[in-house]
Amino acid sequence: MERWQRRAAKTIGGVVLLIFLTSTAYHYVAVAVEGRTQSYVHSAQVVVETVTGTGYGSDSPWESPVANLFVMAMDLGTFLVLFIVLPYVFQPILEETLSPEIPRTTDLTDHIVVCGYSSRGERLVDEFETRGVDYVVVAEEESEVLALAEAGVSVIHGDASSVAALDRARIGEAASVVVDTADELAASVVLAIRDRTEDCRIVVLSTDPSLARPLRYAGADTVVTPRHLLGQRIAERVQAEVDPRLSDVTSLGGGISIVEVTVFEDGPICGRTLDETGILEMDDASLVGLWTDGEFVGSPPSDRTIDENSVLLVAGSESRLKQLEALTGPTRANGARVVVAGHGEVGTTVRDSLESAGVETTVVDIADAEDVDVVGDVTEESVLEAAEVGTATAYVVAIADDDEAILSVLLARELSAELDVVVRVNDSASQGKVRRAGADYVLSLPDISGRLLALDVLREEILSYDRQLKVVRFESDDFAGRSLADTKIPETDCILVGVERSGEIVRDVPAEFEFESGDSLLLAGDDEAINEVES
C-alpha cells in the first residue's frame, strides 16, 4: 500500500471515531442539559453539519452555557482537524505527483556498476558515454540521484554497501564494478559485492595506498591510488628538470617517443622563433604542439616565437628527444631545492620521492606537522618568502583548493620568473587558469583518475595517462579509404602524432594521407578531444 493510501485509511478511521464520540457527547448535552427530546441520529447529524461547516439547522440557538461551550469547542476542533488532516493526507500525494520519480532499479546486463560518484568517476562516466558502454551509478543521496538522472546519467538510488541495493543494480550480471566511495566504506562495499558474485571484476579508487592490501583481501582485483601516482609523476617531472642526467621521455612503442619540454628564460631557444630553433627541421622528431598563455596550440606556425615558460610537446626517436631536453634545459647551479605547498597525499609523495633521490625540499602547509618546514597560508606572500620560494629551483603546488592554488602561483611567479612551477588541480576546468597564472606544468587529478580507470576497466590502450595530454592508440578501420582531411580529426583539438602501418611509424602526416585497414593512429589531446574522435 502506498504511503498516501495508508495515511488516508488512518485518517478516515480517526474521523469516524471522532464523529462517533463527539455525537455521543453532544447527544448527552442536548438531552440532559438542554432538556430536548431528539434521537442520537439527529445529534450525529448536527455534529456532521458542524464538522463539514454546513450549519446547525433547527438545533440553534442553545440556552445553557454548557451547550454553547460544547458547540464552540466543536467549532474550534473542526478548524484544527482541517489544518492537521488535510496536510497529513494530501502532502504525500502532492510530493509523488510533483516530484520526479527516483530511479531504484535497472534492467541492464553485462554492464559496469559504479558505486559512488565523484569528480574521479565523472570522467569515467564520460568515457562510458563516448564508447556506448552500459553502466549504472549507485548513489545514496536522493538529491544527488535526481540531479544525476536529470543530467542524463544512468543512476539508481541505494546504499552501495547494501546487498539489496546491489541486487537492484543487477550486480550478479555485471561485467565489472568500480568502487568510488570514501576509503572507510570501500571494504564494506567490496565484501557486499563478493557476497553476490565471485566472477565480477572489482576496481577500487582509494586515496590511501596503505589500504591496497586489505582491500585486496576483501576481494578487490585492482586498487587504484590516483593521488599517490600523481605525486610520483610530479616528482619525476621535477627531477628531470633539476637533474640533467634524468630524462622525462615516454616511449609510445614502434620506435617513437614523446616528451614535454619547458622553455626557461635562460635557455638557449627562449625568445627565438620555431624556425630559428631548428626544431621543425629535425628528421627524427616533430613538434606536436605547445602550451602558451594557458592554451595548447597544435602544429604552431614556424614564425611563432617561443617565450619563457612555454612547454613544447615533441614526438620522435628517444635519442633525439633526450638531446632536445639537454638543449632546452636551464643552467642550474648546484644544490637544487624544491618547495612543496601542501602536505596531503600528493605533497607527501612528492617530498618522499624527491628526498629519496637526494633533492632538498621545503614543505609548506597550513597545519603544523613533523615534516612541515614552514607553517602558513601559501596564498600569503610572507609565507612564500619564509619558504624562500624566490631562490628555489621548483615550486610544487599540491593543495586542495584550486582558487588558492592560482593565488599562490601568481605570488610565486612574482617572486621568481625562472621558477619551475608545477601544479595539481582538483577540477579539470581550472587547468587553463592555472597556466595563465604562470604554471609551467599542470596535472588534473580527475583526468588522471579517469584515465587510470579507463586503462583498467575499459582496457583502453592509453600510451601515456600521466601527462598533461592523453596519448592513445586508436584503430582506424572506420577511417579506411579516407584521407586525414576527410575525417573529423582536423576539426577537433586532437593532434595526430603518427600512424603505425606494417610495424613502422609515419610522422608528419599530411592532410592528403589516406588511411588503410589495420592502421593504428597515435592521438594526443585532452580527454574531451580524444573522446570526440573515438565516439
Side-chain angles (χ1 to χ4, degrees):
M1 184 181 292
E2 298 290 338
R3 183 170 60 145
W4 72 269
Q5 293 174 329
R6 292 195 300 269
R7 288 191 175 189
K10 292 179 182 178
T11 301
I12 293 173
V15 170
V16 170
L17 179 63
L18 177 64
I19 290 176
F20 171 74
L21 296 175
T22 306
S23 299
T24 301
Y26 177 74
H27 185 69
Y28 173 80
V29 171
V31 174
V33 178
E34 288 287 312
R36 300 184 182 187
T37 56
Q38 61 188 48
S39 66
Y40 175 80
V41 173
H42 178 76
S43 297
Q45 178 189 355
V46 173
V47 171
V48 171
E49 289 174 345
T50 303
V51 171
T52 57
T54 56
Y56 305 107
S58 58
D59 272 19
S60 61
W62 293 269
E63 301 297 334
S64 67
V66 174
N68 280 286
L69 288 173
F70 185 84
V71 172
M72 290 170 60
M74 275 201 302
D75 291 341
L76 293 174
T78 298
F79 282 103
L80 291 176
V81 168
L82 288 175
F83 281 118
I84 293 173
V85 171
L86 287 179
Y88 179 79
V89 175
F90 290 104
Q91 179 184 354
I93 299 177
L94 293 174
E95 287 178 352
E96 292 185 13
T97 302
L98 300 178
S99 299
E101 184 179 357
I102 298 176
R104 301 182 186 278
T105 60
T106 182
D107 296 327
L108 297 174
T109 59
D110 196 29
H111 56 301
I112 297 174
V113 178
V114 181
C115 297
Y117 193 78
S118 66
S119 59
R120 304 172 300 185
E122 181 180 0
R123 180 63 68 186
L124 181 64
V125 166
D126 290 341
E127 299 277 354
F128 293 156
E129 297 281 0
T130 299
R131 290 161 179 76
V133 176
D134 290 333
Y135 72 93
V136 64
V137 175
V138 181
E140 188 169 1
E141 297 296 330
E142 289 189 357
S143 57
E144 183 182 25
V145 172
L146 291 174
L148 291 175
E150 186 176 351
V153 176
S154 175
V155 61
I156 66 170
H157 176 254
D159 178 1
S161 62
S162 164
V163 172
L166 294 175
D167 285 341
R168 288 189 280 106
R170 306 191 74 168
I171 198 74
E173 300 178 66
S176 58
V177 183
V178 176
V179 179
D180 187 17
T181 63
D183 284 350
E184 58 270 19
L185 298 177
S188 295
V189 175
V190 173
L191 289 171
I193 296 169
R194 284 297 178 229
D195 186 54
R196 280 294 183 260
T197 175
E198 292 292 336
D199 301 326
C200 188
R201 179 174 177 77
I202 302 177
V203 180
V204 181
L205 273 170
S206 176
T207 60
D208 187 354
S210 66
L211 296 177
R213 182 171 295 179
L215 285 170
R216 289 192 180 94
Y217 292 159
D221 295 290
T222 303
V223 180
V224 179
T225 54
R227 293 177 187 273
H228 182 70
L229 295 174
L230 183 62
Q232 289 181 329
R233 168 59 197 147
I234 291 175
E236 291 172 0
R237 166 63 169 70
V238 172
Q239 288 180 60
E241 293 295 336
V242 303
D243 190 343
R245 297 169 300 176
L246 300 177
S247 173
D248 200 34
V249 174
T250 299
S251 174
L252 303 181
I256 188 170
S257 300
I258 197 166
V259 69
E260 294 169 311
V261 180
T262 300
V263 179
F264 293 91
E265 187 176 13
D266 59 351
I269 66 173
C270 182
R272 302 168 64 184
T273 65
L274 287 171
D275 193 37
E276 292 172 342
T277 64
I279 294 177
L280 299 179
E281 303 301 324
M282 292 188 296
D283 293 333
D284 50 356
S286 58
L287 180 65
V288 177
L290 59 85
W291 278 272
T292 182
D293 297 325
E295 300 293 337
F296 181 76
V297 180
S299 303
S302 60
D303 59 351
R304 181 74 181 243
T305 300
I306 304 174
D307 56 12
E308 67 272 16
N309 302 316
S310 294
V311 179
L312 308 180
L313 181 64
V314 187
S317 67
E318 183 176 355
S319 59
R320 174 61 74 182
L321 297 185
K322 288 183 177 180
Q323 292 176 10
L324 183 62
E325 282 184 307
L327 173 66
T328 58
T331 303
R332 298 292 191 192
N334 292 331
R337 184 175 61 87
V338 178
V339 177
V340 180
H343 194 242
E345 179 64 31
V346 175
T348 301
T349 302
V350 172
R351 183 210 66 207
D352 291 345
S353 298
L354 291 176
E355 291 190 347
S356 65
V359 179
E360 180 186 355
T361 61
T362 300
V363 178
V364 186
D365 198 82
I366 194 71
D368 195 8
E370 181 180 353
D371 295 314
V372 174
D373 302 298
V374 178
V375 179
D377 188 346
V378 293
T379 63
E380 298 178 4
E381 190 169 357
S382 59
V383 174
L384 298 185
E385 290 175 343
E388 300 181 337
V389 168
T391 60
T393 309
Y395 180 45
V396 176
V397 184
I399 57 179
D401 190 284
D402 289 352
D403 292 329
E404 293 181 359
I406 291 171
L407 290 174
S408 188
V409 170
L410 289 168
L411 292 173
R413 186 54 73 201
E414 283 299 311
L415 293 174
S416 174
E418 300 180 3
L419 187 67
D420 186 22
V421 180
V422 182
V423 183
R424 181 282 307 270
V425 296
N426 299 287
D427 186 350
S428 301
S430 301
Q431 295 181 78
K433 292 183 288 185
V434 174
R435 288 194 181 96
R436 282 190 290 273
D440 300 302
Y441 199 81
V442 183
L443 288 177
S444 164
L445 181 60
D447 286 350
I448 299 297
S449 302
R451 294 170 192 173
L452 285 168
L453 289 172
L455 190 65
D456 196 289
V457 177
L458 297 177
R459 299 295 193 230
E460 182 180 9
E461 194 169 0
I462 300 177
L463 304 176
S464 176
Y465 67 84
D466 56 356
R467 298 299 193 267
Q468 296 184 99
L469 292 182
K470 181 168 71 171
V471 182
V472 301
R473 187 184 302 275
F474 175 65
E475 301 302 326
S476 66
D477 289 345
D478 292 340
F479 295 161
R482 298 161 61 186
S483 67
L484 174 60
D486 292 334
T487 68
K488 56 185 173 183
I489 296 176
E491 301 173 2
T492 68
D493 292 330
C494 255
I495 305 298
L496 183 58
V497 178
V499 177
E500 184 176 5
R501 175 178 292 175
S502 302
E504 296 184 357
I505 299 292
V506 179
R507 293 186 290 106
D508 298 324
V509 181
E512 62 273 11
F513 181 88
E514 186 172 303
F515 296 107
E516 298 178 358
S517 179
D519 286 350
S520 293
L521 278 60
L522 303 181
L523 293 174
D526 60 29
D527 295 77
E528 292 182 1
I530 294 291
N531 288 345
E532 187 176 352
V533 173
E534 293 184 332
S535 62

